[in-house]
Amino acid sequence: MSTNQTLENLRVSYSDETFDITDCQGDPMAQFDKWLEHAIETKCDEPNAFVLSTIEDNRPHARVVLLKGFHQKEFVFYTNYQSAKAANIASNANVAMTFLWLPLQRQVRVEGTISKVSDDISEEYFHKRPRGSQLGAMASPQSSKVSGREELEKLFKDAEAKYEGLEVPRPAHWGGYRINPSYIEFWQGRNNRLHDRICCVRKGSSWELHRLAP
């Protein structure tokens, strides 16, 4: 059987849960927090992983990053400010997030605008990271071309030697971003592909909820 035939025949029946508009909290951030807690409690792999989609020169770009907190009802993650994703963000502040928790047959889509968090927030989180992660952030020229693994290992070892016995300072090129959502959609898998989709659209300081056809 060819790969195409295999793909055509792949079928999963989604029937574990239901999700009606009456089940969705009026504050979608509270609803997201509830679903995320469930994903953590049920030990979904990397429950805080999401696909971050950005735009630069009318071209979409996507990669998986890790959610690391909420600040004032905004989604926060951390990265290198000199990376490719940072260049995309500088070009266009409109972004999208996609969370997928397959064991729970759930997906959440988020659309909004992105900006940097304060230096204080970045500083506080950086010093909570494992030392190896701190050194990696210091050493890696993220998204730049390198000659091979050996170059990366040398950069890391150089940083390790430089800060031996010292606190690793947060690099100026590393910090957090916050995403202010304007659209959040909750998707619950159902039988016969008649999935439950509840979208929340920001209207000023409040949210409007709607059911969407699958």
Side-chain angles (χ1 to χ4, degrees):
M1 183 180 291
S2 71
T3 301
N4 280 338
Q5 288 175 312
T6 301
L7 290 172
E8 290 170 356
N9 291 323
L10 284 176
R11 294 286 186 277
V12 175
S13 179
Y14 300 131
S15 58
D16 288 351
E17 299 284 347
T18 65
F19 190 64
D20 200 355
I21 196 165
T22 56
D23 300 320
C24 188
Q25 298 191 40
D27 179 356
M29 291 297 285
Q31 182 62 51
F32 176 86
D33 188 52
K34 182 178 180 180
W35 272 21
L36 177 59
E37 283 188 5
H38 191 195
I40 294 170
E41 291 168 358
T42 53
K43 301 188 185 305
C44 288
D45 289 338
E46 298 282 16
N48 59 329
F50 67 94
V51 176
L52 174 69
S53 301
T54 55
I55 302 170
E56 185 176 27
D57 297 330
N58 293 319
R59 291 183 59 194
H61 303 266
R63 77 290 290 161
V64 177
V65 298
L66 298 177
L67 182 71
K68 284 299 178 180
F70 300 107
H71 289 281
Q72 299 179 341
K73 296 191 175 182
E74 296 179 321
F75 300 90
V76 174
F77 69 95
Y78 297 86
T79 191
N80 187 314
Y81 287 149
Q82 297 174 346
S83 64
K85 74 174 76 64
N88 296 167
I89 290 166
S91 171
N92 191 323
N94 295 292
V95 300
M97 313 166 71
T98 307
F99 294 84
L100 178 63
W101 301 305
L102 275 176
L104 301 178
Q105 302 172 353
R106 287 176 174 170
Q107 172 185 272
V108 178
R109 294 179 52 235
V110 179
E111 297 172 2
T113 55
I114 191 168
S115 59
K116 291 180 180 178
V117 302
S118 69
D119 286 342
D120 288 344
I121 291 174
S122 292
E123 195 78 27
E124 180 182 0
Y125 176 71
F126 183 80
H127 292 292
K128 291 178 180 178
R129 304 181 88 207
R131 185 174 179 84
S133 298
Q134 294 175 350
L135 290 168
M138 177 68 71
S140 175
Q142 191 175 120
S143 302
S144 299
K145 292 180 181 178
V146 292
S147 59
R149 180 74 191 185
E150 296 77 8
E151 181 180 349
L152 285 176
E153 296 287 355
K154 184 179 185 306
L155 289 169
F156 184 87
K157 288 178 180 178
D158 289 347
E160 198 172 33
K162 180 177 180 179
Y163 294 104
E164 184 177 1
L166 302 173
E167 181 180 89
V168 181
R170 178 180 68 90
H173 61 259
W174 189 96
Y177 283 104
R178 54 192 179 92
I179 296 171
N180 183 18
S182 57
Y183 178 92
I184 303 179
E185 180 185 317
F186 299 93
W187 180 98
Q188 177 69 61
R190 297 293 303 277
N191 279 331
N192 303 313
R193 297 299 186 259
L194 293 178
H195 311 304
D196 289 329
R197 292 177 62 192
I198 308 300
C199 74
C200 310
V201 183
R202 188 191 291 277
K203 297 292 183 181
S205 59
S206 61
W207 294 86
E208 289 185 358
L209 276 61
H210 307 277
R211 172 179 275 277
L212 303 178

